[in-house]
Amino acid sequence: MSPLTDKAKKRNAKRPEVKRPEAKTVEMKKPETKNSNGMKAPKTEVERSLRMFRRMLMIRLFEEQVNELYTRALMPGLAHLYVGEEAVAVGICEALRDDDYITSTHRGHGHCVAKGAAPNRMFAELLGKEAGYCKGKGGSMHIADPATGNLGANAIVAGSAGIATGAAFSAKHKGKGQVAVCFFGEGALGQGVVYEVMNLAALWKLPVIYVCENNMYNEYTHFLETTAGDILSRGPAFGVPSESVDGQDVIAVYQVASRLVKRARDGEGPSFLMCNTYRYTGHHVGDISREYYRSKQEEHHWKTERDPLKLFAEKLIAQKLTDAPSLVKLEDEVRAEMKAAVDFAIAAPYPNADKVEQDVYA
Ligand SMILES: Cc1ncc(C[n+]2csc(CCOP(=O)(O)OP(=O)(O)O)c2C)c(N)n1
Ligand SMILES: [Mg+2]
């Protein structure tokens, strides 16, 4: 464990306290029973809630296995874990149809799972196997799954902003009511392309939602050291309505996303949503000594007081939508599912050497 350097201590002392807008807590609403959005519509509130809880659990346990693969030296390269941020991907994707688009980031596993990707093919990709989403040639930061509308992860910060906006442009012209969601971290707010696309999306009333996952850190730097002024004032300069939500509350995320998605589908144009969240682990799996840029107390606070799964489980139990033993059973099931998916990937063959140049574009 490395102590804070003098430079970091000085910087932390100068750093203003993080004041985030209080997110409104929204009560659970009965979901629609008819299949109006093209996804398998849950008939009851219980079904929707349990589906969201399961997806969040899948992401958490998927990432647990990724970390395990890394520490056992079975995975080539690195991965950026989504643990702690599960409610964002799941709350947003629950509001989407199967044929809606998403674009993702270097921290993309959660988005993939939330949009419906198969964990065994994701693990296969991480291990460089032919069964992977990019036939083993892309790895963590290039997983794409067109069948579920996932246009792909992107190793370039803000790299998917243009892709999501282009998808929204095509959606508008196809006229089938699809929308596009662009996930990006708050580090992308320093990239000009984000504002170029917001400008066009507003002018052309494109059905796109810019979802900023503010986990407070751009790699090893606190966002207040890189981001001037008020983040939520940026969108309105282009006429893009902007708001924030508690990214640890999956129901709140789902409800605000449903409203913004409906708005986009109805032809009212783009919006910007900042989800306040936290990554529990390092910037990537190898970032294990973090005290030079953030404290153990801060991590502890988020993990114990603001955990999206724990908060959601408590809510589900309090509302008598489930009980503790059922959630334990669910966790066992999902853990077994993830283990089977990893075993599939470990046993899967690598692509043949004569295919090394196939499907590689850059
Ligand atoms: C254009 C570009 N610049 C720099 C990098 C190196 N880099 C990778 S991730 C990252 C920080 C991203 O922070 P944020 O957008 O907040 O996403 P988070 O990792 O917190 O999810 C940086 C600077 C990059 N990949 N692309
Ligand atoms: Mg960040």
Side-chain angles (χ1 to χ4, degrees):
M1 170 198 336
S2 60
L4 284 179
T5 58
D6 286 348
K7 198 170 153 220
K9 273 189 205 149
K10 255 192 232 150
R11 206 174 52 202
N12 286 353
K14 269 195 281 167
R15 183 184 290 160
E17 202 188 320
V18 182
K19 282 215 184 71
R20 288 166 154 182
E22 271 306 307
K24 281 178 271 165
T25 311
V26 196
E27 278 312 303
M28 273 202 232
K29 200 173 74 177
K30 286 244 181 258
E32 289 171 34
T33 49
K34 64 172 188 279
N35 188 344
S36 62
N37 65 3
M39 282 179 89
K40 230 186 273 163
K43 289 194 184 63
T44 65
E45 184 180 335
V46 186
E47 280 174 6
R48 183 188 295 285
S49 294
L50 291 181
R51 180 163 81 185
M52 287 199 283
F53 189 82
R54 188 175 213 286
R55 282 261 156 97
M56 288 165 70
L57 205 50
M58 282 173 75
I59 297 172
R60 179 144 311 178
L61 300 178
F62 181 94
E63 297 294 50
E64 194 176 287
Q65 293 287 344
V66 175
N67 198 43
E68 181 78 8
L69 287 169
Y70 172 75
T71 48
R72 289 169 61 203
L74 289 173
M75 181 180 74
L78 292 168
H80 305 79
L81 304 185
Y82 198 69
V83 179
E85 307 190 22
E86 296 91 344
V88 178
V90 171
I92 299 284
C93 290
E94 183 64 29
L96 296 178
R97 304 192 315 209
D98 279 354
D99 67 342
D100 287 332
Y101 299 113
I102 63 163
T103 62
S104 175
T105 68
H106 54 286
R107 199 175 299 290
H109 304 163
H111 309 137
C112 263
V113 170
K115 196 68 170 67
N120 58 356
R121 291 193 61 201
M122 290 175 67
F123 282 125
E125 188 55 44
L126 296 183
L127 299 189
K129 304 297 181 75
E130 174 133 47
Y133 275 107
C134 312
K135 299 186 187 164
K137 295 174 193 167
S140 168
M141 284 186 276
H142 297 100
I143 298 179
D145 180 19
T148 59
N150 181 352
L151 301 179
N154 204 309
I156 305 302
V157 170
S160 72
I163 299 170
T165 309
F169 181 84
S170 94
K172 181 163 180 151
H173 289 276
K174 283 193 285 181
K176 292 182 185 154
Q178 293 160 287
V179 308
V181 165
C182 179
F183 287 105
F184 56 96
E186 83 294 337
L189 294 168
Q191 292 287 78
V193 64
V194 170
Y195 308 99
E196 296 173 41
V197 296
M198 276 207 265
N199 180 59
L200 285 182
L203 282 173
W204 297 340
K205 285 201 166 213
L206 300 183
V208 55
I209 299 137
Y210 299 102
V211 175
C212 175
E213 304 183 307
N214 186 351
N215 62 12
M216 305 211 294
Y217 292 90
N218 319 162
E219 287 191 338
Y220 320 105
T221 306
H222 196 279
F223 82 102
L224 289 177
E225 292 177 51
T226 60
T227 319
D230 174 22
I231 295 172
L232 295 183
S233 300
R234 296 180 179 201
F238 298 98
V240 176
S242 302
E243 58 187 290
S244 69
V245 68
D246 177 357
Q248 306 309 89
D249 179 345
V250 69
I251 296 296
V253 175
Y254 164 67
Q255 293 197 333
V256 69
S258 302
R259 179 162 44 78
L260 299 180
V261 166
K262 177 173 186 316
R263 192 181 172 279
R265 266 198 232 296
D266 290 350
E268 291 174 49
S271 54
F272 177 103
L273 178 65
M274 180 164 74
C275 301
N276 294 317
T277 185
Y278 196 75
R279 66 163 154 78
Y280 285 4
T281 55
H283 171 60
H284 54 68
V285 280
D287 172 24
I288 50 174
S289 219
R290 301 183 283 277
E291 279 201 276
Y292 72 96
Y293 71 91
R294 69 186 202 184
S295 69
K296 287 219 166 182
Q297 292 93 304
E298 181 183 287
E299 293 189 358
H300 181 75
H301 168 75
W302 281 85
K303 288 176 188 173
T304 54
E305 308 293 322
R306 308 286 299 120
D307 181 63
L309 281 142
K310 190 165 166 269
L311 293 173
F312 195 27
E314 282 166 6
K315 196 178 235 175
L316 292 173
I317 292 168
Q319 295 183 336
K320 299 202 181 337
L321 296 183
T322 188
D323 54 26
S326 305
L327 293 183
V328 171
K329 188 165 164 271
L330 184 65
E331 182 168 341
D332 289 345
E333 268 171 39
V334 175
R335 184 165 270 116
E337 201 181 297
M338 290 303 145
K339 177 75 179 60
V342 168
D343 290 346
F344 163 87
I346 291 173
Y350 288 104
N352 277 338
D354 63 357
K355 291 190 184 151
V356 73
E357 287 176 359
Q358 266 178 27
D359 306 308
V360 176
Y361 300 96

